[in-house]
Amino acid sequence: MTDSSATAPKPAPLTPDLCVIGAGRAGLALASAAAAFGVPTVLIARDGMNGTGHAANLSATALIAAGAQVQAAREMARFGITAGEPQVNFAQVHDHMARAAAVLAPNATAERFKALGVTLIAGEARFRDRNSVQVGNQVIKARRFAIATGSRPLAPPVPGLKEVAFLSEDTIATLTRRPDRLIVLGGKPAGIALAQALQRLGSAVTIIAERGLLPDWDAEAVGLVRRALLREGVVLHEGTEVLRGETPKGRVRLILAGEPEQVVEGTHLLATDREPDIAALDLELGGITSDATGIIVNAGLRTGNRRVYAIGACAGGAAGGLREPSVADHHAGLVLRRALFRQPARLGAAAIPRLVQSEPALAAVGLSEAEARAKAGAVTVLRWPYAENDKAQAERRTEGFIKLVTDKRGRILGVTIVGAQAGELITPWSIAVQKGLDVKEMAGLVLPAPSLSEISGRAALSAFAPLATKPGLRRLIGFLRRFG
Ligand SMILES: Cc1cc2nc3c(=O)[nH]c(=O)nc-3n(C[C@H](O)[C@H](O)[C@H](O)COP(=O)(O)OP(=O)(O)OC[C@H]3O[C@@H](n4cnc5c(N)ncnc54)[C@H](O)[C@@H]3O)c2cc1C
């Protein structure tokens, strides 16, 4: 990798077709695909090729999986099996997280990218003007730029906690000892899943969610996640304002509004708010604007500067500032089609699935019931409970339901699933929402049995239920029966 910070004579400007800023999930996907198509590409990496949200996300997912194993062991008695309380060796859980994140390394080595023909530059990029960026003393004048700088954790916005050492999603994987008492600030997906995992692994966890638990999700489905957290011993403070914080003897103490005020104390604090990582880019010199959602882009992911795209977690405006990992891949593919193949690809935000890795898991695509009612007026809501599914019964995973929202013609507007494997079960519904399919087309799918997928099939079939009570149709069936 070129070390641009060296005090060597000023190198000649690089003039690739594409310059990708940020070697995280979105940047790596775009740079490797562009280079594979023979496009001269420069990739700028500030924190190496592995210091990315993708690695942090994998570690977090590994921690959540460890928590799920502990819980499964605790619940084995339901199957007639007993093995005693599971013992957690947190140092080994840490190693498990590291091993999970390490699988990314072979795909993100400097050698692999060099072999693909990508020119790598180590360092922090900033715009010099509308046509070029600079890293140290290296200038890059590219035909197109893609900003893929991701997001970074925000310090807790609580008076008295400005200097507190806090954990974020990025640093949770560095824990080698179990936090005794963990306070999670915020009610967002990653924080909720991590809170549940650490409670299962033996921490005493308190969640303080000023805006409530998962406020942007279907309230009925969130109710099941809330119930599970409380059942497992997580302490919840929802809708409660945090007035101030204190840090007595290295601990964290939060004072919550109320009559009287409540005090929550912990050994560790996990803060889950993030902001787009764009402050160092000197965007205004590049003719690029931003707001709280991130870099403002249009539906083609173009910024105010025609040469420059923004992708992944740093993209705001029409991209909505979404942080789902799937967004990074979706954006990379879209820019590849637009910039290299000149295709008129546009954001299809409605079809981006969202996932909370809690148990029960929560997954959604398209509009929620409330959004659909606001947008489409008359909607139909179809649902099917896990409890009516053979496999769910056999596996004792009966908590949950699927909810389909259609317009009055039957077009699927949105789907929410809460329950086991929700993140897997949402996949066909992503296709359905993206393609604007009719629910009756989904009802015609033949599904494997026994499987949890049958929950989806039964929900779709329930669209026909009103027909069964139509007197005219019943008379017609009666008439046809006479012919054998
Ligand atoms: C359970 C869970 C946990 C998650 N944890 C995290 C997490 O900890 N962190 C996170 O970001 N996302 C996390 N996510 C979300 C997801 O991983 C991100 O949405 C995804 O990584 C975004 O990809 P990206 O390429 O936009 O950004 P990233 O993968 O974060 O990559 C951005 C890259 O740009 C580099 N960069 C920044 N500024 C510059 C600059 N000026 N010049 C050169 N390089 C620069 C950074 O060093 C980084 O390597 C989590 C999701 C889930 C479900």
Side-chain angles (χ1 to χ4, degrees), residues 21-26 44 46-47 51-54 56-57 60 123-125 148-151 169-170 274 277 281 312-313 323-325 328 357:
I21 305 170
R25 183 159 178 154
I44 304 172
R46 185 188 63 193
D47 302 313
T52 64
H54 196 178
N57 179 354
E124 189 165 70
T149 52
S151 64
E169 294 158 40
D170 296 18
R274 301 181 73 85
D277 195 353
L281 285 167
R323 282 194 52 238
E324 273 69 25
Q357 296 193 76

mmCIF file of all heavy atoms in Angstrom, residues 21-26 44 46-47 51-54 56-57 60 123-125 148-151 169-170 274 277 281 312-313 323-325 328 357, ligand 1:
data_model
loop_
_atom_site.group_PDB
_atom_site.id
_atom_site.type_symbol
_atom_site.label_atom_id
_atom_site.label_comp_id
_atom_site.label_asym_id
_atom_site.label_seq_id
_atom_site.Cartn_x
_atom_site.Cartn_y
_atom_site.Cartn_z
ATOM 1 N N ILE A 21 -13.500 6.412 -1.802
ATOM 2 C CA ILE A 21 -12.962 6.918 -0.525
ATOM 3 C C ILE A 21 -13.581 6.110 0.607
ATOM 4 O O ILE A 21 -14.774 6.235 0.883
ATOM 5 C CB ILE A 21 -13.269 8.418 -0.350
ATOM 6 C CG1 ILE A 21 -12.751 9.205 -1.546
ATOM 7 C CG2 ILE A 21 -12.675 8.932 0.956
ATOM 8 C CD1 ILE A 21 -13.215 10.659 -1.565
ATOM 9 N N GLY A 22 -12.781 5.291 1.274
ATOM 10 C CA GLY A 22 -13.278 4.462 2.377
ATOM 11 C C GLY A 22 -13.281 2.999 1.994
ATOM 12 O O GLY A 22 -13.895 2.608 0.999
ATOM 13 N N ALA A 23 -12.538 2.184 2.776
ATOM 14 C CA ALA A 23 -12.419 0.749 2.457
ATOM 15 C C ALA A 23 -13.241 -0.076 3.437
ATOM 16 O O ALA A 23 -12.770 -1.030 4.037
ATOM 17 C CB ALA A 23 -10.955 0.330 2.483
ATOM 18 N N GLY A 24 -14.514 0.312 3.605
ATOM 19 C CA GLY A 24 -15.445 -0.480 4.420
ATOM 20 C C GLY A 24 -16.273 -1.375 3.513
ATOM 21 O O GLY A 24 -15.882 -1.680 2.390
ATOM 22 N N ARG A 25 -17.437 -1.754 4.024
ATOM 23 C CA ARG A 25 -18.262 -2.719 3.279
ATOM 24 C C ARG A 25 -18.625 -2.189 1.880
ATOM 25 O O ARG A 25 -18.464 -2.879 0.881
ATOM 26 C CB ARG A 25 -19.536 -3.006 4.080
ATOM 27 C CG ARG A 25 -20.387 -4.034 3.425
ATOM 28 C CD ARG A 25 -21.327 -4.654 4.419
ATOM 29 N NE ARG A 25 -22.165 -5.619 3.732
ATOM 30 C CZ ARG A 25 -22.735 -6.656 4.309
ATOM 31 N NH1 ARG A 25 -22.543 -6.872 5.583
ATOM 32 N NH2 ARG A 25 -23.482 -7.482 3.634
ATOM 33 N N ALA A 26 -19.100 -0.942 1.806
ATOM 34 C CA ALA A 26 -19.537 -0.396 0.519
ATOM 35 C C ALA A 26 -18.340 -0.136 -0.394
ATOM 36 O O ALA A 26 -18.364 -0.486 -1.576
ATOM 37 C CB ALA A 26 -20.323 0.894 0.741
ATOM 38 N N ILE A 44 -9.041 4.544 -1.297
ATOM 39 C CA ILE A 44 -8.363 5.234 -0.184
ATOM 40 C C ILE A 44 -8.865 4.654 1.132
ATOM 41 O O ILE A 44 -10.078 4.639 1.392
ATOM 42 C CB ILE A 44 -8.644 6.749 -0.235
ATOM 43 C CG1 ILE A 44 -8.226 7.303 -1.597
ATOM 44 C CG2 ILE A 44 -7.900 7.465 0.897
ATOM 45 C CD1 ILE A 44 -8.639 8.750 -1.821
ATOM 46 N N ARG A 46 -8.484 4.758 5.248
ATOM 47 C CA ARG A 46 -7.929 5.489 6.401
ATOM 48 C C ARG A 46 -7.484 4.545 7.512
ATOM 49 O O ARG A 46 -6.427 4.732 8.105
ATOM 50 C CB ARG A 46 -8.992 6.452 6.955
ATOM 51 C CG ARG A 46 -8.469 7.339 8.077
ATOM 52 C CD ARG A 46 -9.588 8.121 8.709
ATOM 53 N NE ARG A 46 -10.558 7.228 9.336
ATOM 54 C CZ ARG A 46 -11.756 7.616 9.739
ATOM 55 N NH1 ARG A 46 -12.141 8.863 9.563
ATOM 56 N NH2 ARG A 46 -12.573 6.742 10.300
ATOM 57 N N ASP A 47 -8.301 3.527 7.791
ATOM 58 C CA ASP A 47 -8.014 2.653 8.940
ATOM 59 C C ASP A 47 -7.663 1.249 8.486
ATOM 60 O O ASP A 47 -8.037 0.273 9.129
ATOM 61 C CB ASP A 47 -9.240 2.612 9.871
ATOM 62 C CG ASP A 47 -9.621 3.995 10.342
ATOM 63 O OD1 ASP A 47 -8.728 4.735 10.762
ATOM 64 O OD2 ASP A 47 -10.805 4.342 10.256
ATOM 65 N N GLY A 51 -10.542 -2.328 9.319
ATOM 66 C CA GLY A 51 -11.116 -1.545 10.413
ATOM 67 C C GLY A 51 -12.481 -1.010 10.023
ATOM 68 O O GLY A 51 -12.720 0.192 10.039
ATOM 69 N N THR A 52 -13.380 -1.868 9.676
ATOM 70 C CA THR A 52 -14.632 -1.407 9.071
ATOM 71 C C THR A 52 -15.851 -1.777 9.893
ATOM 72 O O THR A 52 -15.817 -2.637 10.770
ATOM 73 C CB THR A 52 -14.809 -2.079 7.700
ATOM 74 O OG1 THR A 52 -14.942 -3.471 7.926
ATOM 75 C CG2 THR A 52 -13.644 -1.819 6.797
ATOM 76 N N GLY A 53 -16.945 -1.141 9.552
ATOM 77 C CA GLY A 53 -18.218 -1.478 10.180
ATOM 78 C C GLY A 53 -18.591 -2.928 9.938
ATOM 79 O O GLY A 53 -19.229 -3.557 10.765
ATOM 80 N N HIS A 54 -18.164 -3.464 8.795
ATOM 81 C CA HIS A 54 -18.501 -4.849 8.467
ATOM 82 C C HIS A 54 -17.906 -5.806 9.505
ATOM 83 O O HIS A 54 -18.581 -6.717 9.999
ATOM 84 C CB HIS A 54 -17.964 -5.171 7.065
ATOM 85 C CG HIS A 54 -18.559 -6.405 6.476
ATOM 86 N ND1 HIS A 54 -18.248 -6.855 5.230
ATOM 87 C CD2 HIS A 54 -19.451 -7.292 6.973
ATOM 88 C CE1 HIS A 54 -18.921 -7.962 4.975
ATOM 89 N NE2 HIS A 54 -19.654 -8.242 6.024
ATOM 90 N N ALA A 56 -17.006 -5.029 12.570
ATOM 91 C CA ALA A 56 -17.681 -4.796 13.850
ATOM 92 C C ALA A 56 -19.042 -5.481 13.859
ATOM 93 O O ALA A 56 -19.454 -6.086 14.858
ATOM 94 C CB ALA A 56 -17.845 -3.293 14.070
ATOM 95 N N ASN A 57 -19.715 -5.412 12.738
ATOM 96 C CA ASN A 57 -21.027 -6.026 12.603
ATOM 97 C C ASN A 57 -20.933 -7.548 12.767
ATOM 98 O O ASN A 57 -21.740 -8.175 13.466
ATOM 99 C CB ASN A 57 -21.538 -5.634 11.205
ATOM 100 C CG ASN A 57 -22.888 -6.202 10.868
ATOM 101 O OD1 ASN A 57 -23.452 -6.984 11.612
ATOM 102 N ND2 ASN A 57 -23.393 -5.816 9.725
ATOM 103 N N ALA A 60 -20.315 -8.406 16.397
ATOM 104 C CA ALA A 60 -21.550 -8.251 17.171
ATOM 105 C C ALA A 60 -22.480 -9.432 16.908
ATOM 106 O O ALA A 60 -23.089 -9.980 17.834
ATOM 107 C CB ALA A 60 -22.239 -6.939 16.782
ATOM 108 N N GLY A 123 -4.510 6.407 4.182
ATOM 109 C CA GLY A 123 -4.606 7.749 4.766
ATOM 110 C C GLY A 123 -6.014 8.299 4.677
ATOM 111 O O GLY A 123 -6.944 7.625 4.230
ATOM 112 N N GLU A 124 -6.146 9.538 5.138
ATOM 113 C CA GLU A 124 -7.463 10.178 5.204
ATOM 114 C C GLU A 124 -7.631 11.114 4.007
ATOM 115 O O GLU A 124 -6.785 11.987 3.786
ATOM 116 C CB GLU A 124 -7.589 10.956 6.511
ATOM 117 C CG GLU A 124 -8.969 11.480 6.768
ATOM 118 C CD GLU A 124 -9.112 11.918 8.219
ATOM 119 O OE1 GLU A 124 -8.500 12.939 8.580
ATOM 120 O OE2 GLU A 124 -9.809 11.224 8.970
ATOM 121 N N ALA A 125 -8.709 10.929 3.285
ATOM 122 C CA ALA A 125 -8.940 11.748 2.086
ATOM 123 C C ALA A 125 -9.702 13.015 2.433
ATOM 124 O O ALA A 125 -10.527 13.024 3.352
ATOM 125 C CB ALA A 125 -9.748 10.935 1.078
ATOM 126 N N ALA A 148 -17.429 6.624 0.541
ATOM 127 C CA ALA A 148 -17.968 5.454 1.263
ATOM 128 C C ALA A 148 -17.349 5.425 2.654
ATOM 129 O O ALA A 148 -16.739 4.442 3.054
ATOM 130 C CB ALA A 148 -17.641 4.180 0.496
ATOM 131 N N THR A 149 -17.503 6.542 3.377
ATOM 132 C CA THR A 149 -16.767 6.684 4.648
ATOM 133 C C THR A 149 -17.554 6.219 5.867
ATOM 134 O O THR A 149 -17.074 6.341 6.996
ATOM 135 C CB THR A 149 -16.318 8.153 4.843
ATOM 136 O OG1 THR A 149 -17.459 8.995 4.683
ATOM 137 C CG2 THR A 149 -15.257 8.539 3.832
ATOM 138 N N GLY A 150 -18.774 5.697 5.683
ATOM 139 C CA GLY A 150 -19.482 5.055 6.797
ATOM 140 C C GLY A 150 -19.925 6.017 7.884
ATOM 141 O O GLY A 150 -20.143 7.207 7.659
ATOM 142 N N SER A 151 -20.060 5.469 9.085
ATOM 143 C CA SER A 151 -20.525 6.269 10.223
ATOM 144 C C SER A 151 -19.592 6.042 11.403
ATOM 145 O O SER A 151 -18.783 5.122 11.397
ATOM 146 C CB SER A 151 -21.950 5.849 10.603
ATOM 147 O OG SER A 151 -21.958 4.502 11.043
ATOM 148 N N GLU A 169 -20.864 0.062 19.262
ATOM 149 C CA GLU A 169 -20.914 -1.176 18.466
ATOM 150 C C GLU A 169 -19.522 -1.498 17.919
ATOM 151 O O GLU A 169 -19.166 -2.662 17.775
ATOM 152 C CB GLU A 169 -21.854 -1.001 17.282
ATOM 153 C CG GLU A 169 -23.289 -0.809 17.646
ATOM 154 C CD GLU A 169 -24.034 -0.124 16.514
ATOM 155 O OE1 GLU A 169 -23.778 -0.445 15.346
ATOM 156 O OE2 GLU A 169 -24.857 0.746 16.804
ATOM 157 N N ASP A 170 -18.745 -0.446 17.614
ATOM 158 C CA ASP A 170 -17.409 -0.662 17.035
ATOM 159 C C ASP A 170 -16.455 -1.334 18.016
ATOM 160 O O ASP A 170 -15.529 -2.021 17.607
ATOM 161 C CB ASP A 170 -16.768 0.668 16.632
ATOM 162 C CG ASP A 170 -17.530 1.378 15.541
ATOM 163 O OD1 ASP A 170 -18.697 1.047 15.339
ATOM 164 O OD2 ASP A 170 -16.952 2.257 14.897
ATOM 165 N N ARG A 274 -25.055 7.162 16.261
ATOM 166 C CA ARG A 274 -23.933 7.319 15.323
ATOM 167 C C ARG A 274 -24.175 8.524 14.444
ATOM 168 O O ARG A 274 -25.302 9.011 14.331
ATOM 169 C CB ARG A 274 -23.784 6.064 14.453
ATOM 170 C CG ARG A 274 -23.552 4.805 15.234
ATOM 171 C CD ARG A 274 -23.380 3.617 14.319
ATOM 172 N NE ARG A 274 -22.100 3.625 13.632
ATOM 173 C CZ ARG A 274 -20.973 3.135 14.139
ATOM 174 N NH1 ARG A 274 -20.978 2.597 15.338
ATOM 175 N NH2 ARG A 274 -19.849 3.172 13.458
ATOM 176 N N ASP A 277 -19.609 9.689 8.984
ATOM 177 C CA ASP A 277 -18.187 10.015 9.202
ATOM 178 C C ASP A 277 -17.685 10.875 8.033
ATOM 179 O O ASP A 277 -17.015 10.383 7.124
ATOM 180 C CB ASP A 277 -17.391 8.703 9.301
ATOM 181 C CG ASP A 277 -16.005 8.931 9.876
ATOM 182 O OD1 ASP A 277 -15.623 10.100 10.072
ATOM 183 O OD2 ASP A 277 -15.301 7.927 10.119
ATOM 184 N N LEU A 281 -13.740 15.387 5.442
ATOM 185 C CA LEU A 281 -13.680 15.320 3.971
ATOM 186 C C LEU A 281 -13.606 16.676 3.265
ATOM 187 O O LEU A 281 -13.381 16.720 2.051
ATOM 188 C CB LEU A 281 -14.908 14.564 3.436
ATOM 189 C CG LEU A 281 -14.904 13.047 3.615
ATOM 190 C CD1 LEU A 281 -16.299 12.464 3.348
ATOM 191 C CD2 LEU A 281 -13.895 12.390 2.669
ATOM 192 N N GLY A 312 -23.422 3.779 0.992
ATOM 193 C CA GLY A 312 -23.307 3.164 2.318
ATOM 194 C C GLY A 312 -23.849 4.069 3.413
ATOM 195 O O GLY A 312 -24.708 4.932 3.182
ATOM 196 N N ALA A 313 -23.317 3.891 4.617
ATOM 197 C CA ALA A 313 -23.881 4.537 5.799
ATOM 198 C C ALA A 313 -23.674 6.049 5.823
ATOM 199 O O ALA A 313 -24.313 6.737 6.618
ATOM 200 C CB ALA A 313 -23.282 3.902 7.050
ATOM 201 N N ARG A 323 -28.501 2.611 7.933
ATOM 202 C CA ARG A 323 -27.240 1.995 8.338
ATOM 203 C C ARG A 323 -27.263 0.478 8.177
ATOM 204 O O ARG A 323 -26.332 -0.202 8.574
ATOM 205 C CB ARG A 323 -26.934 2.364 9.798
ATOM 206 C CG ARG A 323 -26.385 3.762 9.962
ATOM 207 C CD ARG A 323 -25.799 3.931 11.340
ATOM 208 N NE ARG A 323 -24.870 2.870 11.624
ATOM 209 C CZ ARG A 323 -24.969 2.045 12.651
ATOM 210 N NH1 ARG A 323 -25.942 2.148 13.500
ATOM 211 N NH2 ARG A 323 -24.082 1.102 12.850
ATOM 212 N N GLU A 324 -28.322 -0.051 7.593
ATOM 213 C CA GLU A 324 -28.386 -1.511 7.419
ATOM 214 C C GLU A 324 -27.211 -1.970 6.569
ATOM 215 O O GLU A 324 -26.887 -1.341 5.550
ATOM 216 C CB GLU A 324 -29.680 -1.908 6.704
ATOM 217 C CG GLU A 324 -30.856 -2.110 7.620
ATOM 218 C CD GLU A 324 -31.354 -0.831 8.238
ATOM 219 O OE1 GLU A 324 -31.136 0.243 7.649
ATOM 220 O OE2 GLU A 324 -31.932 -0.898 9.328
ATOM 221 N N PRO A 325 -26.563 -3.083 6.958
ATOM 222 C CA PRO A 325 -25.436 -3.571 6.162
ATOM 223 C C PRO A 325 -25.823 -3.814 4.706
ATOM 224 O O PRO A 325 -25.017 -3.589 3.806
ATOM 225 C CB PRO A 325 -25.065 -4.881 6.849
ATOM 226 C CG PRO A 325 -25.566 -4.740 8.253
ATOM 227 C CD PRO A 325 -26.779 -3.876 8.178
ATOM 228 N N ALA A 328 -25.198 -1.001 2.128
ATOM 229 C CA ALA A 328 -23.860 -0.791 1.564
ATOM 230 C C ALA A 328 -23.718 -1.561 0.252
ATOM 231 O O ALA A 328 -23.260 -1.008 -0.758
ATOM 232 C CB ALA A 328 -22.798 -1.235 2.573
ATOM 233 N N GLN A 357 -31.560 -8.317 15.429
ATOM 234 C CA GLN A 357 -31.093 -9.677 15.740
ATOM 235 C C GLN A 357 -31.418 -10.073 17.171
ATOM 236 O O GLN A 357 -30.584 -10.605 17.883
ATOM 237 C CB GLN A 357 -29.591 -9.767 15.502
ATOM 238 C CG GLN A 357 -29.179 -9.571 14.058
ATOM 239 C CD GLN A 357 -27.739 -9.981 13.846
ATOM 240 O OE1 GLN A 357 -27.409 -11.146 13.790
ATOM 241 N NE2 GLN A 357 -26.849 -9.013 13.755
HETATM 242 C C1 LIG B 1 -25.341 -5.976 14.876
HETATM 243 C C2 LIG B 1 -24.787 -4.879 14.006
HETATM 244 C C3 LIG B 1 -23.661 -4.195 14.404
HETATM 245 C C4 LIG B 1 -23.147 -3.185 13.613
HETATM 246 N N1 LIG B 1 -22.053 -2.561 14.040
HETATM 247 C C5 LIG B 1 -21.545 -1.566 13.293
HETATM 248 C C6 LIG B 1 -20.403 -0.890 13.720
HETATM 249 O O1 LIG B 1 -19.856 -1.198 14.764
HETATM 250 N N2 LIG B 1 -19.913 0.115 12.963
HETATM 251 C C7 LIG B 1 -20.529 0.475 11.786
HETATM 252 O O2 LIG B 1 -20.059 1.418 11.117
HETATM 253 N N3 LIG B 1 -21.604 -0.147 11.358
HETATM 254 C C8 LIG B 1 -22.132 -1.161 12.073
HETATM 255 N N4 LIG B 1 -23.237 -1.797 11.646
HETATM 256 C C9 LIG B 1 -23.846 -1.400 10.388
HETATM 257 C C10 LIG B 1 -23.151 -1.930 9.153
HETATM 258 O O3 LIG B 1 -22.075 -2.744 9.408
HETATM 259 C C11 LIG B 1 -22.773 -0.750 8.363
HETATM 260 O O4 LIG B 1 -24.004 -0.241 7.861
HETATM 261 C C12 LIG B 1 -21.871 -1.020 7.170
HETATM 262 O O5 LIG B 1 -20.615 -1.448 7.626
HETATM 263 C C13 LIG B 1 -21.720 0.272 6.412
HETATM 264 O O6 LIG B 1 -20.746 0.124 5.418
HETATM 265 P P1 LIG B 1 -19.977 1.389 4.908
HETATM 266 O O7 LIG B 1 -19.045 0.902 3.849
HETATM 267 O O8 LIG B 1 -20.915 2.472 4.587
HETATM 268 O O9 LIG B 1 -19.123 1.914 6.161
HETATM 269 P P2 LIG B 1 -17.937 1.196 6.939
HETATM 270 O O10 LIG B 1 -18.002 -0.263 6.755
HETATM 271 O O11 LIG B 1 -17.939 1.743 8.311
HETATM 272 O O12 LIG B 1 -16.626 1.722 6.195
HETATM 273 C C14 LIG B 1 -16.227 3.074 6.144
HETATM 274 C C15 LIG B 1 -14.725 3.113 5.920
HETATM 275 O O13 LIG B 1 -14.328 4.425 5.516
HETATM 276 C C16 LIG B 1 -13.109 4.759 6.159
HETATM 277 N N5 LIG B 1 -12.994 6.244 6.171
HETATM 278 C C17 LIG B 1 -13.724 7.122 6.882
HETATM 279 N N6 LIG B 1 -13.365 8.384 6.574
HETATM 280 C C18 LIG B 1 -12.386 8.290 5.650
HETATM 281 C C19 LIG B 1 -11.612 9.248 4.930
HETATM 282 N N7 LIG B 1 -11.783 10.578 5.076
HETATM 283 N N8 LIG B 1 -10.671 8.800 4.073
HETATM 284 C C20 LIG B 1 -10.458 7.470 3.878
HETATM 285 N N9 LIG B 1 -11.176 6.514 4.522
HETATM 286 C C21 LIG B 1 -12.127 6.927 5.387
HETATM 287 C C22 LIG B 1 -13.242 4.129 7.533
HETATM 288 O O14 LIG B 1 -11.975 3.937 8.092
HETATM 289 C C23 LIG B 1 -13.936 2.793 7.196
HETATM 290 O O15 LIG B 1 -12.996 1.781 6.925
HETATM 291 C C24 LIG B 1 -23.782 -2.812 12.400
HETATM 292 C C25 LIG B 1 -24.908 -3.506 11.990
HETATM 293 C C26 LIG B 1 -25.419 -4.531 12.778
HETATM 294 C C27 LIG B 1 -26.625 -5.285 12.312
#
